[in-house]
mmCIF file of all heavy atoms in Angstrom:
data_model
loop_
_atom_site.group_PDB
_atom_site.id
_atom_site.type_symbol
_atom_site.label_atom_id
_atom_site.label_comp_id
_atom_site.label_asym_id
_atom_site.label_seq_id
_atom_site.Cartn_x
_atom_site.Cartn_y
_atom_site.Cartn_z
ATOM 1 N N SER A 125 96.327 56.493 123.029
ATOM 2 C CA SER A 125 96.251 55.422 124.027
ATOM 3 C C SER A 125 96.668 54.083 123.422
ATOM 4 O O SER A 125 96.240 53.018 123.874
ATOM 5 C CB SER A 125 94.837 55.314 124.608
ATOM 6 O OG SER A 125 94.518 56.444 125.383
ATOM 7 N N TYR A 164 95.817 69.017 148.218
ATOM 8 C CA TYR A 164 96.646 68.230 149.138
ATOM 9 C C TYR A 164 98.114 68.560 148.952
ATOM 10 O O TYR A 164 98.880 68.657 149.907
ATOM 11 C CB TYR A 164 96.408 66.724 148.912
ATOM 12 C CG TYR A 164 97.121 65.858 149.920
ATOM 13 C CD1 TYR A 164 96.563 65.631 151.174
ATOM 14 C CD2 TYR A 164 98.366 65.290 149.638
ATOM 15 C CE1 TYR A 164 97.212 64.866 152.117
ATOM 16 C CE2 TYR A 164 99.028 64.513 150.581
ATOM 17 C CZ TYR A 164 98.442 64.301 151.818
ATOM 18 O OH TYR A 164 99.093 63.548 152.764
ATOM 19 N N GLU A 187 77.114 63.295 144.619
ATOM 20 C CA GLU A 187 78.074 62.947 145.673
ATOM 21 C C GLU A 187 79.337 63.780 145.513
ATOM 22 O O GLU A 187 79.943 64.233 146.483
ATOM 23 C CB GLU A 187 78.392 61.448 145.615
ATOM 24 C CG GLU A 187 77.175 60.589 145.926
ATOM 25 C CD GLU A 187 77.518 59.125 146.183
ATOM 26 O OE1 GLU A 187 78.649 58.826 146.591
ATOM 27 O OE2 GLU A 187 76.620 58.285 145.981
ATOM 28 N N ILE A 346 97.962 43.184 123.705
ATOM 29 C CA ILE A 346 96.701 43.180 124.473
ATOM 30 C C ILE A 346 96.974 43.203 125.974
ATOM 31 O O ILE A 346 96.297 43.914 126.713
ATOM 32 C CB ILE A 346 95.833 41.961 124.084
ATOM 33 C CG1 ILE A 346 95.327 42.114 122.646
ATOM 34 C CG2 ILE A 346 94.652 41.818 125.048
ATOM 35 C CD1 ILE A 346 94.628 40.877 122.096
ATOM 36 N N TYR A 351 98.876 46.332 134.154
ATOM 37 C CA TYR A 351 99.413 46.621 135.493
ATOM 38 C C TYR A 351 100.703 47.421 135.347
ATOM 39 O O TYR A 351 101.499 47.156 134.440
ATOM 40 C CB TYR A 351 99.767 45.325 136.231
ATOM 41 C CG TYR A 351 98.589 44.477 136.640
ATOM 42 C CD1 TYR A 351 98.155 43.432 135.835
ATOM 43 C CD2 TYR A 351 97.933 44.706 137.838
ATOM 44 C CE1 TYR A 351 97.078 42.641 136.211
ATOM 45 C CE2 TYR A 351 96.858 43.915 138.227
ATOM 46 C CZ TYR A 351 96.438 42.891 137.410
ATOM 47 O OH TYR A 351 95.378 42.097 137.794
ATOM 48 N N TRP A 352 100.948 48.331 136.262
ATOM 49 C CA TRP A 352 102.248 48.993 136.324
ATOM 50 C C TRP A 352 103.334 47.932 136.489
ATOM 51 O O TRP A 352 104.372 47.996 135.839
ATOM 52 C CB TRP A 352 102.293 49.983 137.497
ATOM 53 C CG TRP A 352 103.616 50.667 137.622
ATOM 54 C CD1 TRP A 352 104.015 51.797 136.976
ATOM 55 C CD2 TRP A 352 104.747 50.243 138.399
ATOM 56 N NE1 TRP A 352 105.299 52.113 137.310
ATOM 57 C CE2 TRP A 352 105.774 51.181 138.178
ATOM 58 C CE3 TRP A 352 104.975 49.166 139.260
ATOM 59 C CZ2 TRP A 352 107.030 51.075 138.803
ATOM 60 C CZ3 TRP A 352 106.217 49.058 139.871
ATOM 61 C CH2 TRP A 352 107.224 49.995 139.633
ATOM 62 N N ASP A 355 104.281 45.923 133.418
ATOM 63 C CA ASP A 355 105.016 46.750 132.449
ATOM 64 C C ASP A 355 106.403 47.135 132.950
ATOM 65 O O ASP A 355 107.212 47.652 132.190
ATOM 66 C CB ASP A 355 104.224 48.027 132.136
ATOM 67 C CG ASP A 355 102.922 47.718 131.412
ATOM 68 O OD1 ASP A 355 102.878 46.695 130.697
ATOM 69 O OD2 ASP A 355 101.960 48.477 131.575
ATOM 70 N N GLN A 363 104.520 38.716 143.603
ATOM 71 C CA GLN A 363 104.844 37.447 142.960
ATOM 72 C C GLN A 363 103.552 36.866 142.401
ATOM 73 O O GLN A 363 102.502 37.471 142.515
ATOM 74 C CB GLN A 363 105.474 36.505 143.991
ATOM 75 C CG GLN A 363 106.730 37.104 144.643
ATOM 76 C CD GLN A 363 107.304 36.202 145.728
ATOM 77 O OE1 GLN A 363 106.971 35.028 145.828
ATOM 78 N NE2 GLN A 363 108.179 36.773 146.549
ATOM 79 N N ARG A 365 100.869 34.808 139.615
ATOM 80 C CA ARG A 365 100.333 35.093 138.280
ATOM 81 C C ARG A 365 99.402 36.305 138.299
ATOM 82 O O ARG A 365 98.499 36.390 139.127
ATOM 83 C CB ARG A 365 99.546 33.887 137.757
ATOM 84 C CG ARG A 365 100.466 32.756 137.377
ATOM 85 C CD ARG A 365 99.760 31.720 136.533
ATOM 86 N NE ARG A 365 100.518 30.480 136.645
ATOM 87 C CZ ARG A 365 100.121 29.324 136.149
ATOM 88 N NH1 ARG A 365 98.962 29.242 135.522
ATOM 89 N NH2 ARG A 365 100.876 28.241 136.303
ATOM 90 N N LEU A 366 99.664 37.189 137.366
ATOM 91 C CA LEU A 366 98.799 38.359 137.195
ATOM 92 C C LEU A 366 97.755 38.109 136.120
ATOM 93 O O LEU A 366 96.700 38.719 136.116
ATOM 94 C CB LEU A 366 99.639 39.579 136.814
ATOM 95 C CG LEU A 366 100.389 40.273 137.957
ATOM 96 C CD1 LEU A 366 101.434 41.234 137.400
ATOM 97 C CD2 LEU A 366 99.426 41.012 138.872
ATOM 98 N N PRO B 22 104.523 60.804 153.035
ATOM 99 C CA PRO B 22 103.566 61.914 153.209
ATOM 100 C C PRO B 22 102.440 61.916 152.193
ATOM 101 O O PRO B 22 101.458 62.650 152.352
ATOM 102 C CB PRO B 22 104.436 63.172 153.050
ATOM 103 C CG PRO B 22 105.658 62.714 152.335
ATOM 104 C CD PRO B 22 105.870 61.272 152.698
ATOM 105 N N GLY B 62 81.151 58.702 145.616
ATOM 106 C CA GLY B 62 81.825 59.999 145.625
ATOM 107 C C GLY B 62 83.227 59.919 146.188
ATOM 108 O O GLY B 62 84.198 60.316 145.538
ATOM 109 N N ARG B 102 94.460 52.795 133.651
ATOM 110 C CA ARG B 102 95.811 52.583 133.129
ATOM 111 C C ARG B 102 95.742 52.029 131.701
ATOM 112 O O ARG B 102 96.434 52.502 130.801
ATOM 113 C CB ARG B 102 96.603 51.635 134.038
ATOM 114 C CG ARG B 102 97.988 51.356 133.493
ATOM 115 C CD ARG B 102 98.861 50.510 134.426
ATOM 116 N NE ARG B 102 100.077 50.169 133.707
ATOM 117 C CZ ARG B 102 101.116 50.977 133.559
ATOM 118 N NH1 ARG B 102 101.094 52.158 134.116
ATOM 119 N NH2 ARG B 102 102.163 50.616 132.845
ATOM 120 N N TYR B 103 94.887 51.045 131.517
ATOM 121 C CA TYR B 103 94.803 50.401 130.206
ATOM 122 C C TYR B 103 94.283 51.355 129.142
ATOM 123 O O TYR B 103 94.862 51.479 128.058
ATOM 124 C CB TYR B 103 93.880 49.178 130.294
ATOM 125 C CG TYR B 103 94.025 48.248 129.111
ATOM 126 C CD1 TYR B 103 95.182 47.500 128.960
ATOM 127 C CD2 TYR B 103 93.030 48.115 128.166
ATOM 128 C CE1 TYR B 103 95.345 46.639 127.884
ATOM 129 C CE2 TYR B 103 93.176 47.258 127.087
ATOM 130 C CZ TYR B 103 94.341 46.521 126.956
ATOM 131 O OH TYR B 103 94.501 45.673 125.892
ATOM 132 N N MET B 104 93.201 52.029 129.463
ATOM 133 C CA MET B 104 92.568 52.884 128.452
ATOM 134 C C MET B 104 93.429 54.082 128.081
ATOM 135 O O MET B 104 93.231 54.679 127.029
ATOM 136 C CB MET B 104 91.200 53.358 128.939
ATOM 137 C CG MET B 104 90.207 52.216 129.064
ATOM 138 S SD MET B 104 88.521 52.805 129.217
ATOM 139 C CE MET B 104 88.691 53.927 130.561
ATOM 140 N N VAL B 143 93.556 44.967 138.571
ATOM 141 C CA VAL B 143 93.453 45.117 140.022
ATOM 142 C C VAL B 143 94.157 43.952 140.722
ATOM 143 O O VAL B 143 94.400 42.901 140.138
ATOM 144 C CB VAL B 143 91.983 45.183 140.501
ATOM 145 C CG1 VAL B 143 91.195 46.157 139.636
ATOM 146 C CG2 VAL B 143 91.321 43.818 140.506
ATOM 147 N N ASP B 166 99.720 49.733 141.620
ATOM 148 C CA ASP B 166 98.448 49.353 141.002
ATOM 149 C C ASP B 166 97.351 49.398 142.070
ATOM 150 O O ASP B 166 97.640 49.365 143.260
ATOM 151 C CB ASP B 166 98.554 47.928 140.431
ATOM 152 C CG ASP B 166 99.547 47.849 139.276
ATOM 153 O OD1 ASP B 166 99.413 48.662 138.341
ATOM 154 O OD2 ASP B 166 100.447 46.990 139.310
ATOM 155 N N LEU B 192 102.839 40.733 147.818
ATOM 156 C CA LEU B 192 101.553 40.269 147.307
ATOM 157 C C LEU B 192 101.818 39.078 146.388
ATOM 158 O O LEU B 192 102.862 38.992 145.750
ATOM 159 C CB LEU B 192 100.838 41.379 146.518
ATOM 160 C CG LEU B 192 100.642 42.730 147.204
ATOM 161 C CD1 LEU B 192 99.743 43.620 146.343
ATOM 162 C CD2 LEU B 192 100.067 42.589 148.599
ATOM 163 N N LEU B 242 98.054 35.485 141.786
ATOM 164 C CA LEU B 242 97.790 34.196 142.416
ATOM 165 C C LEU B 242 99.055 33.337 142.417
ATOM 166 O O LEU B 242 99.673 33.146 141.373
ATOM 167 C CB LEU B 242 96.677 33.482 141.629
ATOM 168 C CG LEU B 242 96.230 32.124 142.163
ATOM 169 C CD1 LEU B 242 95.516 32.266 143.499
ATOM 170 C CD2 LEU B 242 95.317 31.448 141.153
ATOM 171 N N GLU B 280 96.770 21.812 135.280
ATOM 172 C CA GLU B 280 98.231 21.797 135.417
ATOM 173 C C GLU B 280 98.762 20.628 136.245
ATOM 174 O O GLU B 280 99.966 20.398 136.271
ATOM 175 C CB GLU B 280 98.693 23.143 135.998
ATOM 176 C CG GLU B 280 98.244 24.288 135.078
ATOM 177 C CD GLU B 280 98.823 25.642 135.426
ATOM 178 O OE1 GLU B 280 100.008 25.702 135.776
ATOM 179 O OE2 GLU B 280 98.066 26.626 135.335
#
Side-chain angles (χ1 to χ4, degrees):
Chain A
S125 292
Y164 186 82
E187 295 193 25
I346 292 172
Y351 291 95
W352 179 86
D355 294 331
Q363 303 177 15
R365 288 195 201 173
L366 281 166
Chain B
R102 178 175 172 80
Y103 196 70
M104 293 195 307
V143 313
D166 294 308
L192 307 188
L242 182 68
E280 302 189 40

